[in-house]
Amino acid sequence: QVQLVESGGGLVQAGGSLRLSCAASGTIFIINGMGWYRQAPGKERELVASIFLGGRTNYADSVKGRFTISRDNAKNTVYLQMNSLKPEDTGVYYCNANGVQTMGRMDDYWGQGTQVTVSS
């Protein structure tokens, strides 16, 4: 059984910074992609950033230049450094791990979500 545990959310003023972490636990051989999604009230969940095993990254246009995604493959952990936060960054941030190879199967997993609130 694979679990994703997120941490680092909270309340911050506009212009501030937060760092999210997500650690995957379980009998994991490899994780192909890891990423962060967010969901604001009344809106659909959207991709914020993703990072693949080789290091290639992908960002939503709204966060380019402000957010940085990274991963530690030895720890099966993904990070999201969020700088210059704006009120529109407010939402529940979900960690995603896709292409997770465990004992004889490959699946996708989601974390439970962590709240990020940016006040104006």
Side-chain angles (χ1 to χ4, degrees):
Q1 183 72 14
V2 174
Q3 288 188 323
L4 303 183
V5 178
E6 300 139 335
S7 61
L11 173 65
V12 65
Q13 288 188 332
S17 298
L18 284 174
R19 187 185 192 221
L20 305 183
S21 299
C22 171
S25 62
T27 306
I28 299 170
F29 295 125
I30 196 168
I31 302 176
N32 285 289
M34 302 188 81
W36 291 93
Y37 289 71
R38 69 185 178 194
Q39 188 166 19
K43 294 188 176 181
E44 294 186 352
R45 190 175 298 188
E46 63 174 356
L47 174 68
V48 176
S50 59
I51 184 167
F52 298 92
L53 193 58
R56 181 170 61 89
T57 58
N58 183 43
Y59 294 94
D61 288 342
S62 60
V63 307
K64 285 180 180 177
R66 300 188 297 122
F67 291 11
T68 302
I69 190 169
S70 60
R71 64 187 284 178
D72 184 333
N73 294 326
K75 296 180 178 179
N76 289 326
T77 299
V78 63
Y79 307 95
L80 185 67
Q81 178 66 43
M82 305 186 293
N83 299 328
S84 302
L85 282 160
K86 304 176 180 180
E88 51 263 43
D89 293 319
T90 294
V92 179
Y93 283 67
Y94 296 91
C95 175
N96 170 264
N98 63 82
V100 181
Q101 181 71 54
T102 58
M103 295 290 287
R105 57 185 296 161
M106 184 174 288
D107 294 288
D108 298 346
Y109 296 89
W110 289 91
Q112 79 284 359
T114 185
Q115 178 70 44
V116 171
T117 303
V118 184
S119 64
S120 58

